[in-house]
Amino acid sequence: MTAELRFQDKVALIAGGTGALGRAVSVAFAREGACVIVTYRRQAEFDAFVSESKGNDPGVTGVMVDATDLAAVGRAIDSILAKWGALDILVNTIGAYHGGKNIWEEDPSSYEQMMALNLKAGFVLARGVVPAMVRQNRGWIVNVASRAAYDRSAGAALYAASKAGALALFGSLAEEVKPYPICVNSVVPSIFDTAANRQAMPGADHSRWPKPEEIAKVILFLCSEEARVIHGAAIPVYGRT
């Protein structure tokens, strides 16, 4: 056995688990013994994940669901609890970027998209999983935020606002679950090393960007017994950016 099975018998829900960071997190949990369920919006996303991962990880289960849909997420969580009997870990990697316009030039649909993916999805997921974690008397929640929540750059107001809202949401949730053995934290990347980001910024020094697998290691640590004293934190994972 080459990997330490820190998460054996743990059930982990990775929201957005077919994205660049979500895949790294999902594979890392699976390799350490967790039963991993990933959410996705389109079947092709999950099929590509399975195809690319074949032979390299113990496998994951996929659930097609719109994470901004309260009823759909509720049904998905009920299904997970019925099948596996517990839900120990939630990692929310769902998110999207939009920028390049001043506020007065923005279309309201862009505002709705940023708030839905970067803020509402986290609310819907947390609202769905926390009651189960309270009942089972354990749980770990990690939300993926963004350095943009602090930097507030011109031309990225909607993205920055949605990510700042998510930091506040999960910070408040951490306060609310203090009476229970449930840990809630955020990780805060800046730019990280993906094919899409390299294509968008070909002249950047990509060696300074953290890799998704490196950020995944931080997330796994936050979901471990060793990190029980870390609660309500926003952990920067900037690399050398």
Side-chain angles (χ1 to χ4, degrees):
M1 186 181 301
T2 57
E4 180 186 358
L5 300 181
R6 288 184 294 175
F7 299 99
Q8 196 162 30
D9 302 323
K10 293 290 193 298
V11 180
L13 175 61
I14 315 302
T18 59
L21 179 57
R23 291 185 189 200
V25 173
S26 300
V27 169
F29 270 113
R31 284 177 175 166
E32 294 208 24
C35 174
V36 177
I37 304 101
V38 304
T39 73
Y40 60 92
R41 290 290 301 274
R42 289 173 289 276
Q43 187 63 44
E45 297 173 2
F46 185 66
D47 291 345
F49 177 28
V50 171
S51 176
E52 292 174 16
S53 301
K54 195 166 290 182
N56 296 319
D57 74 279
V60 299
T61 299
V63 176
M64 183 187 292
V65 65
D66 177 357
T68 68
D69 185 325
L70 197 68
V73 168
R75 290 191 295 270
I77 291 171
D78 287 344
S79 176
I80 291 169
L81 293 171
K83 184 171 182 177
W84 285 283
L87 181 48
D88 301 287
I89 294 162
L90 167 67
V91 180
N92 179 31
T93 71
I94 294 171
Y97 177 78
H98 170 81
K101 293 183 178 181
N102 296 314
I103 290 175
W104 61 91
E105 299 168 328
E106 283 288 4
D107 190 282
S109 64
S110 297
Y111 171 86
E112 297 294 341
Q113 181 194 41
M114 288 296 95
M115 295 301 162
L117 295 175
N118 295 331
L119 181 56
K120 184 180 180 181
F123 160 71
V124 171
L125 289 161
R127 185 181 185 275
V129 304
V130 168
M133 291 179 174
V134 169
R135 288 194 301 270
Q136 67 196 19
N137 206 38
R138 69 180 183 278
W140 292 263
I141 297 174
V142 176
N143 184 63
V144 178
S146 171
R147 189 176 185 173
Y150 305 131
D151 290 350
R152 301 168 190 171
S153 302
L158 304 185
Y159 179 70
S162 61
K163 287 295 191 177
L167 273 178
L169 180 79
F170 283 90
S172 293
L173 177 61
E175 290 296 314
E176 292 169 355
V177 300
K178 271 186 176 179
Y180 311 101
I182 300 170
C183 291
V184 179
N185 294 290
S186 293
V187 294
V188 187
S190 53
I191 186 80
F192 56 92
D193 195 1
T194 68
N197 287 338
R198 283 181 176 237
Q199 184 175 7
M201 288 171 276
D205 183 355
H206 305 144
S207 68
R208 300 178 68 87
W209 295 355
K211 298 185 182 305
E213 293 78 10
E214 294 171 326
I215 298 173
K217 289 179 182 179
V218 177
I219 292 172
L220 264 66
F221 175 69
L222 290 173
C223 294
S224 69
E225 292 291 347
E226 292 83 359
R228 273 290 184 188
V229 296
I230 304 175
H231 179 65
I235 307 296
V237 284
Y238 301 158
R240 294 296 181 267
T241 59

